[in-house]
């Protein structure tokens, strides 16, 4: 693999309304991997960051847009300070779903991404919630990260979440639920489950991750799901050892 996309969710970055030390560990990992791979980071957290400064009701679209506008520079500052310790330059890239509906806009974005990666700059990508409207929202960064992986020619997507794998049953309800290490087909009944984000600022859940995986698998790419508390599983996987986490990938015939 040469080019890898990482997606980090709000519930991974924030804990009890404050930034978690998981952000430091994620930055440590990505700075290290940036020496060997081309790294793109899709990061949630702007709305959560905005809320720490201005506690608006995010159920209203205009409030959520305002929170994103407040929080995005705060989030970028946190990343910039941490990556700066490793002399890694980061760039903010804000996109909307409409950017992937236009071949010209997608090509322009791709050219810009190529320049950043060529110069070892890590693009930090988020949905431009402050100007998006309901009709052109991705709705969650799981979907966005899948599109980034496909349209920007990455080899694979790693989703760093608050769940460590995909299970054969709901592990919060069934203590005997077992993690599935390899998923080669996404079943329709999985996609029809109720979406269950764990954080009040999160918009995803396991269903959105399954949809992201299906999109990539349908387009010949793979996705790996693991927890922000088990970052070693990512390095293990890149070194050829699947110790934990779930790989979503169609079996080669």
């Amino acid at each position: 693999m040469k080019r890898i996309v990482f997606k980090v969710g709000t519930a991974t970055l924030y804990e009890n309304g404050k930034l978690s030390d998981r952000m430091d560990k994620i930055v440590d990992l990505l700075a290290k991997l940036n020496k060997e791979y081309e790294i793109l980071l899709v990061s949630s957290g702007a709305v959560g960051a905005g809320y720490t400064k201005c506690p608006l009701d995010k159920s209203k679209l205009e409030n959520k847009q305002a929170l994103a506008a407040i929080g995005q520079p705060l989030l970028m500052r946190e990343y910039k300070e941490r990556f700066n310790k490793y002399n890694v330059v980061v760039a903010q890239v804000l996109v909307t779903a409409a950017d992937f509906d236009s071949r010209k806009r997608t090509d322009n974005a791709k050219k810009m991404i190529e320049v950043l990666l060529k110069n070892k700059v890590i693009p930090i990508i988020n949905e431009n919630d402050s100007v998006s409207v309901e009709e052109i929202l991705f709705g969650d960064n799981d979907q966005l990260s899948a599109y980034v992986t496909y349209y920007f020619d990455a080899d694979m997507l790693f989703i760093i979440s608050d769940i460590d794998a995909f299970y054969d049953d709901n592990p919060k309800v069934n203590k005997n639920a077992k993690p599935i290490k390899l998923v080669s087909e996404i079943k329709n009944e999985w996609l029809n489950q109720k979406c269950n984000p764990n954080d009040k600022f999160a918009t995803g859940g396991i269903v959105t991750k399954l949809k992201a995986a299906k999109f990539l698998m349908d387009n010949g790419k793979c996705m790996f799901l693991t927890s922000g508390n088990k970052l070693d599983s990512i390095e293990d996987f890149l070194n050829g050892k699947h110790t934990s986490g779930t790989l979503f990938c169609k079996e080669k015939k």
Side-chain angles (χ1 to χ4, degrees), residues 103-253:
R103 179 175 295 180
K104 182 177 181 181
R105 290 168 70 168
T106 303
D107 286 345
N108 287 340
K110 185 178 176 182
K111 290 176 182 176
M112 176 268 296
I113 291 292
E114 294 287 350
V115 172
L116 294 175
L117 297 178
K118 183 178 180 181
N119 288 278
K120 302 305 290 182
V121 175
I122 296 181
I124 300 179
I125 305 167
N126 199 355
E127 182 160 16
N128 196 355
D129 290 322
S130 60
V131 300
S132 294
V133 295
E134 289 178 291
E135 290 78 11
I136 59 170
L137 281 171
F138 272 103
D140 65 85
N141 277 351
D142 294 326
Q143 308 297 303
L144 172 58
S145 62
Y147 271 62
V148 166
T149 303
Y150 175 70
Y151 286 104
F152 293 161
D153 292 336
D155 297 301
M156 192 168 177
L157 168 63
F158 286 81
I159 289 188
I160 302 174
S161 180
D162 57 336
I163 51 178
D164 61 351
F166 178 59
Y167 285 74
D168 60 3
D169 198 2
N170 187 342
K172 293 185 176 180
V173 177
N174 181 1
K175 293 183 179 180
N176 295 318
K178 297 179 181 179
I180 303 173
K181 296 189 74 172
L182 173 64
V183 174
S184 57
E185 181 183 3
I186 305 293
K187 298 179 181 179
N188 287 331
E189 58 261 35
W190 296 348
L191 299 175
N192 294 326
Q193 299 176 76
K194 184 178 179 181
C195 204
N196 56 343
N198 295 323
D199 185 273
K200 65 178 180 178
F201 295 106
T203 54
I206 192 60
V207 174
T208 59
K209 291 166 180 57
L210 291 171
K211 289 180 178 178
K214 186 177 188 308
F215 172 81
L216 289 174
M217 291 165 69
D218 288 346
N219 286 283
K221 295 184 182 292
C222 301
M223 186 184 100
F224 189 86
L225 171 64
T226 191
S227 165
N229 295 319
K230 294 186 176 181
L231 296 178
D232 288 347
S233 64
I234 294 174
E235 287 194 271
D236 286 343
F237 185 83
L238 291 173
N239 289 323
K241 295 181 291 184
H242 189 170
T243 53
S244 63
T246 299
L247 173 64
F248 296 86
C249 200
K250 284 188 175 181
E251 295 181 10
K252 295 181 179 180
K253 297 181 180 180

Side-chain angles (χ1 to χ4, degrees), residues 12-13 15 19-26 82 229:
T12 301
L13 293 176
E15 198 166 25
L19 271 175
S20 166
D21 62 359
R22 285 187 291 265
M23 176 184 265
D24 297 280
K25 295 175 181 177
I26 289 168
R82 286 164 174 78
N229 295 319

